[in-house]
Amino acid sequence: MGSRKTHMAYRLKEARKSIAIAKLNDVPTSPRKMRLVADTVRGVEVNRALDLLHFSKKQPSIRLEKLLRSAIANWEAKNPDQSKELDNGNVYVKTIMVNEGRTIKRIRPCPQGRAGRIRKRSNHVTVILDVKPTASEEK
């Protein structure tokens, strides 16, 4: 029984070698605004995703572009022998998740002596890159 568990662990380890992960925590942007930008690059080839983010007018795209460059560097560090995959356009954004981070609460004076709450939201972004499976691997 122990050998089967270790065999599965080795398979998971081998599968994880080709994927690269990058995280960005506590980005001072609301998660909704970040998700609008993240949706444009989900499932897109890496070089095209960099272009989309670079020429986007939305403010969160600046931070997301930097995070994607970090994920690419992580992928290159994990797969030094597969550098041609990046040039061929086989590396793509497998998943991109935007989760809600901590919310800073502030108080602002309102009419009639009331206090209005201001919620300054933040988010956490996770990017996972992978290599597109070729036609021979799918069969």
Side-chain angles (χ1 to χ4, degrees):
M1 185 164 176
S3 64
R4 195 171 126 209
K5 281 186 177 178
T6 54
H7 179 68
M8 193 163 185
Y10 282 119
R11 268 199 317 203
L12 282 169
K13 194 174 182 181
E14 283 297 316
R16 281 225 165 145
K17 278 186 181 176
S18 65
I19 55 176
I21 302 169
K23 284 186 80 173
L24 185 61
N25 286 338
D26 293 319
V27 185
T29 311
S30 73
R32 184 179 180 186
K33 289 176 184 175
M34 186 63 88
R35 278 189 198 107
L36 284 170
V37 179
D39 290 343
T40 60
V41 295
R42 186 176 286 119
V44 176
E45 189 269 318
V46 164
N47 295 318
R48 177 157 164 65
L50 279 174
D51 289 342
L52 285 170
L53 291 172
H54 187 75
F55 294 107
S56 172
K57 289 183 179 179
K58 295 195 176 288
Q59 190 266 337
S61 64
I62 299 164
R63 289 209 164 101
L64 214 55
E65 181 186 2
K66 193 171 180 179
L67 178 66
L68 186 58
R69 288 188 189 279
S70 172
I72 292 167
N74 293 344
W75 187 87
E76 286 174 339
K78 274 187 164 185
N79 307 295
D81 53 327
Q82 293 183 335
S83 61
K84 66 178 185 302
E85 295 284 346
L86 201 61
D87 299 331
N88 293 344
N90 292 336
V91 181
Y92 73 109
V93 180
K94 185 177 182 181
T95 53
I96 182 165
M97 296 177 289
V98 180
N99 298 319
E100 195 169 328
R102 66 175 64 109
T103 302
I104 300 170
K105 294 169 181 100
R106 297 283 178 259
I107 289 177
R108 179 181 190 178
C110 280
Q112 297 182 359
R114 293 191 182 101
R117 292 195 102 174
I118 294 176
R119 294 188 303 272
K120 296 187 175 186
R121 298 177 186 273
S122 67
N123 62 61
H124 308 310
V125 188
T126 307
V127 175
I128 301 174
L129 303 183
D130 200 1
V131 180
K132 287 180 186 170
T134 56
S136 61
E137 288 178 15
E138 288 177 352
K139 292 178 182 175

